[in-house]
Amino acid sequence: MDRKPLTLHRLRELYATGEKLTMLTCYDAVFAQVLDAAGVEILLVGDSLGMVLQGHDSPLPTTLEEMAYHTRCVARGNRSAWIVADMPFGSYYETVEQGVRSAAALMQAGAHMIKLEGGGWTVPLVRALVERGIPVCGHLGLTPQSVHALGGWRVQGRSDEAAATLKRHAQELAQAGAAMIVLELVPAALAREITAELPIPTIGIGAGAGCSGQVLVLHDMLDITPGKKARFVRNFMEGAPGIDAAVRSYVSEVKAGRFPDDRLHSR
Ligand code: KIV
């Protein structure tokens, strides 16, 4: 595929026309090449690599140096996709200065945008990053770095109060200058409402078809991850002759609004 490098401007244009955005996690150069060539717009160097590649049971042990290493690997393999790198646990929790320093390390490693988890307390950092020319993606709902506080991998925003807090946090992130928000494990109806009310795209994972785009963990959608699949995951290798075809199928199913299917993949 011969396409121009994705820019924030181009992503905003796609969002404005209502085209669904496609994101997949990516942790190395070969997959970066494959995903980029298959037309995935956004490669997420997610801290899920702590579980997928490093064998931990949460992303908490993954360090900033490890995230920068994998961001460098992805950047070397990528040609035209937009690269988002996760700020890992603890790398932005202390002060705005610490967060800006951590974000700078990921941008120097080749990221085009950083992603950070949480709302409310993250707003001053989001503002500081955007003022310094660092694009930011927020992450609300099930925020894996808080998995122990949240009591496990469970759907968020079920009560009226929790839903209202999620909506407020999303608005505050957008006002602070975040250019995109990942919504993870949020009821489909709530994610749809948040998306309709926001001036920026939402990227859903386990958050239904009403989001502006979708993301999955690459190893889940390729059915490499052992054990029981989460309800929101679809095995794109089923019926596909190879990885390239599976990724292309993911892109076309998301673009056509056929994945996710709220009857099968959402709460
Ligand atoms: O780290 C990650 O892979 C993520 C996605 C699940 C959105 O944050």
Side-chain angles (χ1 to χ4, degrees), residues 23 25 27 44-49 59 86 115 117 139 144 182 184 205 215-217:
M23 177 191 275
T25 66
Y27 317 117
L44 172 63
V45 189
D47 60 0
S48 52
L49 71 83
D86 257 342
K115 174 163 84 58
E117 294 185 5
H139 184 153
V182 166
E184 179 165 357
I205 174 164
V215 58
L216 283 176
V217 169

Side-chain angles (χ1 to χ4, degrees), residues 8-229:
L8 197 48
H9 184 76
R10 180 67 190 137
L11 290 170
R12 284 187 177 128
E13 276 178 357
L14 293 173
Y15 164 66
T17 63
E19 185 165 333
K20 298 280 185 188
L21 301 173
T22 55
M23 177 191 275
L24 282 175
T25 66
C26 185
Y27 317 117
D28 65 36
V30 165
F31 271 118
Q33 238 173 308
V34 171
L35 270 47
D36 179 33
V40 177
E41 280 129 2
I42 309 168
L43 309 185
L44 172 63
V45 189
D47 60 0
S48 52
L49 71 83
M51 292 172 285
V52 177
L53 301 188
Q54 299 175 325
H56 299 299
D57 59 6
S58 83
L60 271 66
T62 304
T63 65
L64 182 63
E65 289 69 29
E66 289 163 348
M67 291 304 300
Y69 168 78
H70 286 281
T71 303
R72 278 194 294 276
C73 295
V74 168
R76 281 186 209 116
N78 178 52
R79 204 189 59 79
S80 66
W82 179 255
I83 299 175
V84 180
D86 257 342
M87 299 263 273
F89 178 75
S91 70
Y92 56 104
Y93 287 32
E94 294 167 27
T95 58
V96 166
E97 289 73 17
Q98 182 213 18
V100 171
R101 250 193 323 276
S102 300
L106 297 177
M107 297 298 281
Q108 287 182 323
H112 302 125
M113 171 183 255
I114 62 86
K115 174 163 84 58
L116 49 80
E117 294 185 5
W121 67 274
T122 58
V123 165
L125 173 58
V126 171
R127 207 173 284 121
L129 292 170
V130 173
E131 280 169 0
R132 285 157 180 76
I134 300 178
V136 175
C137 176
H139 184 153
L140 297 174
L142 187 281
T143 44
Q145 292 171 13
S146 309
V147 63
H148 300 305
L150 296 175
W153 307 88
R154 48 175 64 197
V155 176
Q156 302 296 305
R158 281 204 189 281
S159 69
D160 289 350
E161 193 188 344
T165 303
L166 257 176
K167 283 186 176 188
R168 179 168 50 80
H169 283 168
Q171 287 295 338
E172 287 170 355
L173 286 174
Q175 278 160 23
M180 203 181 282
I181 299 179
V182 166
L183 294 177
E184 179 165 357
L185 279 186
V186 172
L190 175 60
R192 192 178 288 276
E193 269 181 56
I194 292 174
T195 303
E197 289 167 4
L198 278 181
I200 57 170
T202 58
I203 308 291
I205 174 164
C211 295
S212 326
Q214 297 293 326
V215 58
L216 283 176
V217 169
L218 178 65
H219 295 59
D220 291 348
M221 57 81 75
L222 294 179
D223 204 31
I224 299 170
T225 311
K228 193 168 174 281
K229 264 195 299 296

